Amino acid sequence: MKLNIDYQEKFEQRHIAPNEQDTAKMLSTIGVNSIDELISQTVPPNIRLKNNLNLPAAKSEADYLNDLKQTASKNKVFKSYIGQGYHDVIVPGVIQRNILENPGWYTQYTPYQAEIAQGRLQALLNFQTMVMDLTGMEIANASLLDEGTAAAEAMFMQYSLRKNENAKVFFVSEEVLAQTIDILQTRAAPYGIQILIGSHETVNLDETMFGAIVQYPAAKGQIYDYSDFAGKAHEKGIKLTVVADIMALALLSPPGEWGADIVVGSSQRFGIPMGFGGPHAAFFATKEEYKRSLPGRIIGVTIDSAGNYALRMALQTREQHIRRDKATSNICTAQALLAIMASMYAIYHGPKGIKQIAERIHGLSVFLSQALESLGYKQENKFFFDTIKLELGDLINPIHAEALNNEVNLNYEGSLVSITLDETTTPNDVLTIIRFFAKVMGKNAHELDLDQIKSGISSHIPSQLQRESAYLTHPVFNSYHSEHEMLRYIKSLEAKDLSLCHSMIALGSCTMKLNATTEMIPVTWAEFSKIHPFAPIDQVGGYMQIFDELNKWLSEITGFASMSLQPNSGAQGEYAGLMVIRAYHLDRGDTHRNIALIPSSAHGTNPASAAMAGMKIIIVKCDERGNIDVADLKAKAEEHASDLSCLMVTYPSTHGVFEESIIEICEIIHKNGGQVYMDGANMNAQVGLTSPAAIGADVCHLNLHKTFCIPHGGGGPGMGPIGVAKHLVPFLPGHAVVDMGNEKSISAVSSAPWGSASILIISHAYIAMMGGEGLTNATKFAILNANYIKARLENSYPVLYSGSQGRCAHEMILDCRAFKAYGVEVTDIAKRLMDYGFHAPTVSFPVAGTVMIEPTESEPKHELDRFCDAMIAIRAEISEVEIGKLDAVDNPLKNAPHTASVVTADDWTHPYSRQTAAFPLPYVATYKFWPSVGRVNDTHGDRTLICSCPPIESYAEEVA
């Protein structure tokens, strides 16, 4: 027997599910002879790439991890005392293993289908409760992207709430973190908001101001009593935002008690790794009266169809999907997975444990301060929590050198140095700092009476700001402190949620792809997770290599000149791309170009982002086939030629079709002086076959949490890097703290220079292991799987749009509007799918009364068939309602989903069987997933809005 010693397993074969035999059957069902024939009928020939992707050869999973270890070793894991909004943490093992590293949590989708998302909804409600308790505010959302963008959202909320329309000034304390000020300036520019930076102690507040923002504790560590400032601001009708340190709030008087209108910050200190900048969950809390202006998602308590406790996302009428350019924000992605981790950290430690951690941090900081003062250094912060500040003069360079010799990073600013301690800091770490500070002074640390210093440690928090109010009083924060109890609580919530572990989640426009284990493994390596985003550049060679390679690979895939990896969500990528276009026009003196043309089919974040970028939105019609009406586009582009900024277009279209006129569309925009922004939501149908540059776009964002395999995490994290053509490269986002190398850069759009850097590794791994051929095949199989579902379902449901040869792209829209005639809504189909073990496709977007289906290339034929069988069976149930065989009101669709408690109850009064309710097809018995609640009552929840954990008695069984 001849042996093949050159065999190497291909990751592509693990990622793309259909095998050769199944592929042949699927092609036969579709009615084509090969995948290439299908692609030729789907993708217009004039946009097809002429060359294969020029990417490195695909690596095996083992080889990739081995090579990445070498890359990771180029990152130096020094002890970080830089602070500035980022802190090293101890991630409890029970949380790291069972949430962060658990696909049962990280592969869930955003909880739009509440009945099969009760676990993470409860965890997010816990997060909101935690935030409200610690900030002293009345309502909180379920997280935002990062601290800086949360502050920017607060500024915009204050601006939108102002009563004096002539008030255009926003006061920013000079002691707010530099990256936050950078983002505030970015967000302020399109609205003509004037940022006034100064001292809160000397500023003259007046009626021209609509808002103010301060940091608590301040950027260099000082704790100020802002209560008088808050009072003066309110006298002038000025609302106050406080950026607060969540760990410090365990010891500090909460802002809600001394006058804050909004409190924002990062929950990163609660067990979320630094990861060179993210992902981290920001928090946003405010007063009850502002609840309808609150940006982001809010989890609220309601009841289900049986009157039992249930949760869902509340007040969704504020959201961009409904309000579009009038939405409270363009934010579509939260940081759900990280918010869940932070809430679990608070649950695991409880109020006593959190306070002890905060006291240890503060105590060690006081100890360090007093020891350094004993050595002769002057510590300038009279009141502080975890940060001391020293004026070193000529000693700054020797201290810097000794710190590096001890593998320590401090925060330097001129001759000032600040030192921020954290949860990981030990007494020995403090002694190390004391020793090298003593050495520079020519002294010996052993000469200090450290025991005497330790015995004299007392709080350096002002007495009037020492916290007296209780927090984390709800039983959920006081019940699960042993690991066994914590493990069971985590698992009890996980069991209530459907994820990719259970079945396909065929969401159109959302691309729920395989998040391969090998892609995920490196995220928690210390060489990546324990790096501060402002670490010296010579300590982060591994990250720089990954960014450089990812930049080149994504540029090759998109056809663009360069990428910015900074935007940390798709919606933020949209905004960043539009701000780059805006900067380009301004640089050319075209200050009047502010009109964005947006097709009526566009994703809701498109007009919301355009509004945030200060643009005037003109809607372009779509024709009866769902394509952009080229004549209408041309007329409007010519009418507004002198003011045209850009076109926002999704390709393939949001209707799931490769529009054949796309090149002409882009040429029309360019001819009239505009730029073309391509929404990259549907890149899963482009990679390797066409590209944004090939169709004529100038900029696009890429949803790395869609096409490039970063997990959705139950509603975040996401990443939305932007790629741009050569003429736009100089305007890519910069950063106030780290030099990004572009002279004409717009200011920052995210707090960290490279956004949520640690999860960029996931996309780097995916591309490296797939290679150019594998990525192209992934696109082909995504199109194959979608067209197979279309072929199986089109006799049961009308497919709303298709290409000129009857093909869809990687997704399709099924028209369910006709079913309303006999009382069946598209929502009923979505809920009934839960009884069959599936999450619904995208409901009523982009067309009301429809579902949009996208299977991805990672789903095997048998899973596609299970889904199709379920949809066909549901169609048969609809027919039975239509002919009167099933009651119009009391039927499986209207009563769905059916919980185990309902199906096993002693009383069963429905005119259909329990078998029909719970096990409508044979396979369901094997794969059965039980929804934990019946259909939720949204109206009840919005009418009696409760956004924190209610008394334990009201849901005792739910948290047992």
Side-chain angles (χ1 to χ4, degrees):
M1 182 191 345
K2 186 175 181 181
L3 301 177
N4 179 11
I5 63 172
D6 295 321
Y7 169 77
Q8 185 179 48
E9 187 173 284
K10 288 187 175 182
F11 174 73
E12 176 189 343
Q13 295 168 343
R14 303 297 189 184
H15 178 81
I16 300 174
N19 59 36
E20 189 174 341
Q21 293 78 17
D22 286 342
T23 298
K25 292 175 184 176
M26 292 161 69
L27 291 169
S28 176
T29 300
I30 294 168
V32 292
N33 295 314
S34 67
I35 291 182
D36 287 339
E37 182 183 350
L38 173 63
I39 298 303
S40 69
Q41 294 176 6
T42 306
V43 185
N46 63 331
I47 64 167
R48 289 288 302 273
L49 297 178
K50 295 178 173 59
N51 299 311
N52 297 329
L53 290 175
N54 183 21
L55 295 171
K59 294 182 178 181
S60 71
E61 295 177 67
D63 285 347
Y64 177 77
L65 290 178
N66 287 335
D67 291 347
L68 191 66
K69 268 295 183 185
Q70 297 302 311
T71 303
S73 68
K74 298 176 184 177
N75 290 334
K76 300 175 183 177
V77 187
F78 281 17
K79 193 73 180 172
S80 175
Y81 303 102
I82 297 172
Q84 302 304 296
Y86 301 94
H87 310 267
D88 200 4
V89 298
I90 299 170
V91 185
V94 67
I95 296 175
Q96 176 167 317
R97 174 63 58 87
N98 295 291
I99 295 181
L100 178 58
E101 297 176 346
N102 180 0
W105 284 94
Y106 65 67
T107 68
Q108 303 159 340
Y109 182 57
T110 307
Y112 287 117
Q113 297 295 333
E115 295 83 357
I116 49 176
Q118 290 295 297
R120 97 200 71 131
L121 285 167
Q122 182 63 59
L124 291 172
L125 189 76
N126 296 343
F127 175 82
Q128 290 175 182
T129 305
M130 173 191 83
V131 170
M132 292 159 64
D133 279 5
L134 288 166
T135 61
M137 302 304 286
E138 296 167 338
I139 190 169
N141 70 14
S143 80
L144 292 176
L145 299 177
D146 58 34
E147 181 170 292
T149 53
E153 293 292 337
M155 176 183 71
F156 183 71
M157 180 172 138
Q158 290 165 275
Y159 182 71
S160 65
L161 288 171
R162 77 197 195 285
K163 294 179 180 177
N164 176 9
E165 291 190 1
N166 294 319
K168 286 276 192 175
V169 178
F170 187 66
F171 172 73
V172 180
S173 166
E174 61 195 3
E175 295 192 69
V176 168
L177 293 174
Q179 65 269 24
T180 299
I181 295 175
D182 206 16
I183 296 170
L184 290 170
Q185 290 172 327
T186 308
R187 287 288 294 270
Y191 285 91
I193 294 171
Q194 179 186 344
I195 298 290
L196 175 63
I197 302 173
S199 167
H200 78 277
E201 296 176 307
T202 60
V203 65
N204 181 29
L205 299 174
D206 60 41
E207 287 75 10
T208 67
M209 301 175 183
F210 64 86
I213 188 168
V214 296
Q215 191 100 27
Y216 183 64
K220 295 182 178 65
Q222 179 74 17
I223 295 173
Y224 294 102
D225 184 346
Y226 294 113
S227 56
D228 287 346
F229 178 75
K232 292 175 183 177
H234 291 150
E235 288 175 6
K236 300 291 185 180
I238 299 168
K239 291 182 173 60
L240 176 63
T241 292
V242 177
V243 187
D245 182 319
I246 195 169
M247 186 64 78
L249 291 180
L251 303 182
L252 293 178
S253 176
E257 293 181 5
W258 47 254
D261 297 289
I262 303 170
V263 184
V264 302
S266 172
S267 63
Q268 187 259 317
R269 296 194 86 153
F270 277 23
I272 303 172
M274 288 188 290
F276 203 45
H280 304 143
F283 59 84
F284 190 116
T286 187
K287 297 178 178 179
E288 178 82 14
E289 63 188 286
Y290 305 138
K291 62 189 177 186
R292 294 193 180 274
S293 299
L294 179 63
R297 298 174 185 145
I298 306 172
I299 309 307
V301 178
T302 187
I303 56 175
D304 72 356
S305 53
N308 296 319
Y309 171 91
L311 300 168
R312 92 285 183 239
M313 293 199 293
L315 299 180
Q316 292 306 293
T317 51
R318 308 163 302 112
E319 210 187 52
Q320 70 291 118
H321 295 291
I322 296 169
R323 298 199 68 202
R324 299 172 74 81
D325 56 306
K326 300 294 192 299
T328 56
S329 170
N330 76 322
I331 287 176
C332 189
T333 306
Q335 297 283 22
L337 183 68
L338 296 313
I340 289 165
M341 287 179 64
S343 75
M344 293 298 183
Y345 179 93
I347 290 168
Y348 194 42
H349 289 292
K352 183 178 179 181
I354 295 292
K355 186 176 182 181
Q356 288 173 335
I357 292 168
E359 287 179 342
R360 186 178 71 233
I361 293 169
H362 183 49
L364 286 173
S365 301
V366 173
F367 176 58
L368 176 62
S369 173
Q370 293 179 359
L372 295 184
E373 287 189 308
S374 297
L375 288 170
Y377 292 95
K378 178 172 174 50
Q379 204 284 107
E380 298 190 352
N381 286 337
K382 180 180 180 182
F383 301 116
F384 59 90
F385 167 61
D386 62 0
T387 300
I388 62 173
K389 180 179 67 173
L390 304 107
E391 170 59 59
L392 296 181
D394 293 340
L395 296 180
I396 187 72
N397 289 331
I399 289 291
H400 194 171
E402 280 301 319
L404 293 177
N405 286 341
N406 285 273
E407 298 190 345
V408 163
N409 287 327
L410 307 178
N411 185 51
Y412 305 95
E413 186 176 333
S415 59
L416 282 174
V417 66
S418 60
I419 306 172
T420 301
L421 306 191
D422 57 49
E423 176 189 14
T424 69
T425 307
T426 66
N428 282 337
D429 293 327
V430 173
L431 289 176
T432 297
I433 298 172
I434 294 169
R435 288 188 191 106
F436 69 73
F437 268 82
K439 180 180 178 182
V440 168
M441 274 286 197
K443 299 180 179 180
N444 192 320
H446 294 299
E447 298 172 5
L448 296 177
D449 190 341
L450 295 178
D451 289 336
Q452 182 179 354
I453 294 172
K454 186 182 295 185
S455 65
I457 291 175
S458 61
S459 176
H460 273 49
I461 297 172
S463 57
Q464 74 274 20
L465 290 179
Q466 292 182 15
R467 182 162 193 149
E468 296 181 357
S469 54
Y471 52 87
L472 304 182
T473 57
H474 192 276
V476 77
F477 299 106
N478 294 276
S479 302
Y480 308 108
H481 302 326
S482 75
E483 180 164 337
H484 216 155
E485 291 171 310
M486 189 67 189
L487 175 65
R488 286 171 177 163
Y489 180 64
I490 290 171
K491 288 297 180 181
S492 73
L493 296 188
E494 180 189 339
K496 296 178 181 180
D497 283 22
L498 187 142
S499 70
L500 285 176
C501 298
H502 301 96
S503 58
M504 172 173 71
I505 303 178
L507 289 153
S509 189
C510 288
T511 317
M512 297 291 289
K513 295 176 73 149
L514 168 71
N515 311 127
T517 306
T518 297
E519 296 161 5
M520 302 297 296
I521 285 172
V523 172
T524 53
W525 289 356
E527 296 93 335
F528 295 123
S529 66
K530 295 179 77 68
I531 304 293
H532 193 287
F534 303 152
I537 204 73
D538 62 357
Q539 293 178 17
V540 291
Y543 265 120
M544 292 302 108
Q545 179 179 329
I546 288 169
F547 297 158
D548 181 63
E549 290 173 351
L550 193 56
N551 189 324
K552 289 176 181 175
W553 298 346
L554 292 176
S555 295
E556 170 67 15
I557 288 165
T558 59
F560 284 136
S562 189
M563 307 290 301
S564 169
L565 302 176
Q566 189 177 114
N568 57 11
S569 84
Q572 195 174 88
E574 290 178 16
Y575 175 68
L578 293 174
M579 291 298 287
V580 164
I581 289 173
R582 178 180 179 273
Y584 168 76
H585 287 312
L586 291 176
D587 187 64
R588 291 160 56 89
D590 290 340
T591 56
H592 51 283
R593 291 195 175 274
N594 68 340
I595 287 179
L597 300 181
I598 302 179
S600 59
S601 63
H603 195 280
T605 55
N606 284 185
S609 295
M612 271 180 52
M615 296 183 180
K616 181 181 177 183
I617 297 154
I618 305 291
I619 300 298
V620 177
K621 298 176 184 175
C622 288
D623 63 23
E624 66 281 355
R625 296 180 60 191
N627 297 318
I628 293 173
D629 186 326
V630 178
D632 187 56
L633 173 79
K634 188 173 187 293
K636 286 173 177 171
E638 291 175 351
E639 178 187 354
H640 300 287
S642 61
D643 299 319
L644 181 61
S645 174
C646 65
L647 166 75
M648 296 188 78
V649 61
T650 301
Y651 201 74
S653 75
T654 311
H655 291 148
V657 175
F658 282 95
E659 299 187 50
E660 297 182 5
S661 57
I662 188 64
I663 290 179
E664 179 187 359
I665 287 169
C666 294
E667 289 174 346
I668 290 170
I669 299 303
H670 290 145
K671 184 178 179 181
N672 289 282
Q675 296 285 287
V676 176
Y677 174 88
M678 195 205 88
D679 185 319
N682 292 341
M683 273 298 293
N684 208 41
Q686 282 200 46
V687 177
L689 300 181
T690 184
S691 71
I695 69 170
D698 300 287
V699 55
C700 81
H701 84 269
L702 299 175
N703 298 87
L704 298 189
H705 49 287
K706 294 182 181 180
T707 303
F708 296 95
C709 294
I710 290 175
H712 282 65
M719 279 294 280
I722 57 170
V724 295
K726 186 177 181 180
H727 62 283
L728 296 177
V729 172
F731 307 100
L732 289 173
H735 197 271
V737 180
V738 176
D739 183 6
M740 304 299 284
N742 289 328
E743 292 182 7
K744 297 181 178 181
S745 289
I746 64 170
S747 43
V749 297
S750 298
S751 289
W754 290 276
S756 296
S758 66
I759 57 174
L760 290 172
I761 300 164
I762 300 167
S763 296
H764 182 273
Y766 172 64
I767 297 171
M769 294 189 297
M770 289 292 281
E773 183 181 359
L775 291 173
T776 304
N777 286 336
T779 307
K780 292 179 178 180
F781 274 85
I783 293 171
L784 170 70
N785 282 3
N787 279 276
Y788 176 68
I789 288 180
K790 177 177 179 292
R792 282 213 59 196
L793 295 184
E794 58 191 351
N795 291 330
S796 300
Y797 300 85
V799 176
L800 198 54
Y801 304 112
S802 57
S804 60
Q805 297 190 56
R807 305 303 179 196
C808 65
H810 63 315
E811 61 189 4
M812 80 218 72
I813 298 173
L814 302 187
D815 192 351
C816 304
R817 291 173 293 185
F819 306 146
K820 286 175 68 77
Y822 22 96
V824 177
E825 303 284 346
V826 67
T827 299
D828 299 324
I829 298 172
K831 304 308 180 188
R832 182 59 170 151
L833 269 169
M834 298 177 192
D835 291 330
Y836 287 82
F838 284 103
H839 191 292
T842 303
V843 175
S844 287
F845 173 80
V847 180
T850 67
V851 294
M852 184 161 60
I853 300 170
E854 179 183 354
T856 87
E857 67 277 8
S858 297
E859 299 300 342
K861 178 179 178 293
H862 66 81
E863 184 70 359
L864 304 179
D865 284 331
R866 279 203 320 127
F867 175 77
C868 290
D869 290 345
M871 289 296 291
I872 292 167
I874 289 172
R875 180 65 182 90
E877 292 174 350
I878 296 171
S879 296
E880 290 184 346
V881 174
E882 180 181 5
I883 64 176
K885 187 176 178 180
L886 282 173
D887 186 85
V889 177
D890 190 0
N891 62 62
L893 291 129
K894 286 295 182 183
N895 294 329
H898 298 83
T899 63
S901 60
V902 167
V903 173
T904 59
D906 291 338
D907 295 327
W908 182 263
T909 60
H910 304 298
Y912 55 93
S913 69
R914 298 174 195 259
Q915 177 81 16
T916 297
F919 304 102
L921 286 176
Y923 77 77
V924 179
T926 303
Y927 290 94
K928 185 62 183 176
F929 179 88
W930 289 100
S932 58
V933 298
R935 193 173 304 196
V936 299
N937 188 324
D938 291 317
T939 304
H940 174 87
D942 282 349
R943 192 168 57 243
T944 56
L945 186 65
I946 301 171
C947 297
S948 62
C949 296
I952 196 71
E953 293 78 18
S954 65
Y955 69 116
E957 293 181 2
E958 296 294 327
V959 296

